[in-house]
């Protein structure tokens, strides 16, 4: 389901930020997909509440919150078109009952931003949203009669969003700049050495010239 955030209108030319994370789910025995859908719905509803988002199908907005400094000002919409997927990986949660099971799951949430949004803003929003999911799982707000416990394991999102660095210069241009600096320094050193030798030579020759002149006068 699509949630439009902050009362914003117009969803054309938006930039999608896919958030991917791994968590473990301790649940009652039963259908895995139903339990995963319940968790996914709880996560989306929680984010929608914090970001003042409204379900596109109903238009009913959630209460506004100021917990997300960057996300609340920049997220245009949230959705999750890709279902969370269970993995064939053993859980770290001990299971000591015949009535419970544990699944390792990869979760997906997509946030939408204006096309011109910088990678720095995207990285900050990604950190805020994943932090909310992690702390919400730790607090137990997603637990129910079916969901016994959730443990956030790690983020699987693109790490390249962590910084908004300046792109590297062209290699040839960088080498040319370094070469010019080196040549300038060498030229200055050469000129300095030439002046030093000249001054030193002149200093040595002056007393000798005066001595010769004195000798000539005496003779």
């Amino acid at each position: 389901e699509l949630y439009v955030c902050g009362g914003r209108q117009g969803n054309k030319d938006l930039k999608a930020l896919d958030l991917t994370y791994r968590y473990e789910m301790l649940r009652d025995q039963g259908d895995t997909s139903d339990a995963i859908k319940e968790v996914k719905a709880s996560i989306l509803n929680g984010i929608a509440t914090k970001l003042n988002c409204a379900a596109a199908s109903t238009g009913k907005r959630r209460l506004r919150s100021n917990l997300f400094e960057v996300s609340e000002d920049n997220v245009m919409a949230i959705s999750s078109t890709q279902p969370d997927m269970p993995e064939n990986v053993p859980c770290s949660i001990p299971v000591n009952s015949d009535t419970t099971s544990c699944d390792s799951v990869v979760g997906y949430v997509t946030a939408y931003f204006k096309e011109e949004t910088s990678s720095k803003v995207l990285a900050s929003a990604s950190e805020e949203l994943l932090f909310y999911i992690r702390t919400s799982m730790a607090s137990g707000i997603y637990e129910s009669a079916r969901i016994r416990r959730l443990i956030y394991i790690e983020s699987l999102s693109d790490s390249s969003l962590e910084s908004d660095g300046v792109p590297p210069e062209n290699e040839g241009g960088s080498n040319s700049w370094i070469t010019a600096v080196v040549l300038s320094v060498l030229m200055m050193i050469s000129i300095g050495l030439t002046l030093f030798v000249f001054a030193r030579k002149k200093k040595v020759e002056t007393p000798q010239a005066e001595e010769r002149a004195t000798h000539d006068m005496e003779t």
Side-chain angles (χ1 to χ4, degrees):
E1 186 172 13
L2 177 68
Y3 294 86
V4 179
C5 303
R8 298 176 175 88
Q9 299 296 324
N11 294 324
K12 295 182 179 179
D13 300 325
L14 295 183
K15 179 184 294 186
L17 173 65
D18 294 320
L19 305 176
T20 311
Y21 49 94
R22 178 178 286 113
Y23 64 94
E24 294 179 358
M25 175 180 64
L26 186 64
R27 59 178 176 82
D28 284 348
Q29 292 282 4
D31 187 66
T32 305
S33 61
D34 288 343
I36 290 176
K37 289 177 182 177
E38 179 181 328
V39 173
K40 169 58 71 66
S42 297
I43 291 174
L44 287 177
N45 284 327
I47 295 174
T49 298
K50 300 304 180 183
L51 297 184
N52 187 30
C53 302
S57 58
T58 64
K60 183 178 179 180
R61 295 180 190 171
R62 273 65 178 176
L63 296 176
R64 185 171 177 79
S65 170
N66 294 319
L67 296 178
F68 296 91
E69 181 178 355
V70 175
S71 303
E72 195 163 15
D73 291 334
N74 293 278
V75 175
M76 303 291 291
I78 58 171
S79 71
S80 186
T81 56
Q82 184 171 353
D84 292 1
M85 300 297 295
E87 298 181 300
N88 188 22
V89 177
C91 288
S92 61
I93 303 176
V95 179
N96 299 317
S97 172
D98 294 335
T99 60
T100 58
S101 298
C102 183
D103 304 283
S104 177
V105 184
V106 175
Y108 303 91
V109 173
T110 301
Y112 297 90
F113 301 78
K114 291 181 179 179
E115 185 66 32
E116 64 272 17
T117 302
S118 69
S119 58
K120 183 176 181 180
V121 170
L122 294 178
S124 296
S126 175
E127 290 177 0
E128 289 179 351
L129 295 171
L130 290 173
F131 177 79
Y132 170 78
I133 294 172
R134 181 173 76 248
T135 55
S136 295
M137 287 184 177
S139 70
I141 65 173
Y142 301 142
E143 295 173 8
S144 65
R146 175 187 293 162
I147 308 301
R148 298 293 185 87
R149 188 181 177 190
L150 296 175
I151 294 181
Y152 183 97
I153 302 299
E154 62 182 336
S155 168
L156 303 175
S157 298
D158 186 2
S159 60
S160 66
L161 289 176
E162 292 179 359
S163 63
D164 190 20
V166 178
E169 295 181 1
N170 178 270
E171 184 177 355
S174 177
N175 290 339
S176 299
W177 181 81
I178 294 174
T179 302
V181 171
V182 172
L183 290 176
S184 298
V185 172
L186 290 176
M187 183 176 295
M188 293 175 64
I189 294 174
S190 177
I191 294 173
L193 288 174
T194 301
L195 292 175
F196 174 80
V197 172
F198 179 78
R200 182 72 176 173
K201 183 178 180 181
K202 187 175 181 180
K203 185 177 180 180
V204 173
E205 290 179 350
T206 298
Q208 293 177 352
E210 291 178 354
E211 184 179 350
R212 285 196 301 269
T214 302
H215 181 268
D216 292 339
M217 291 177 63
E218 290 176 350
T219 57

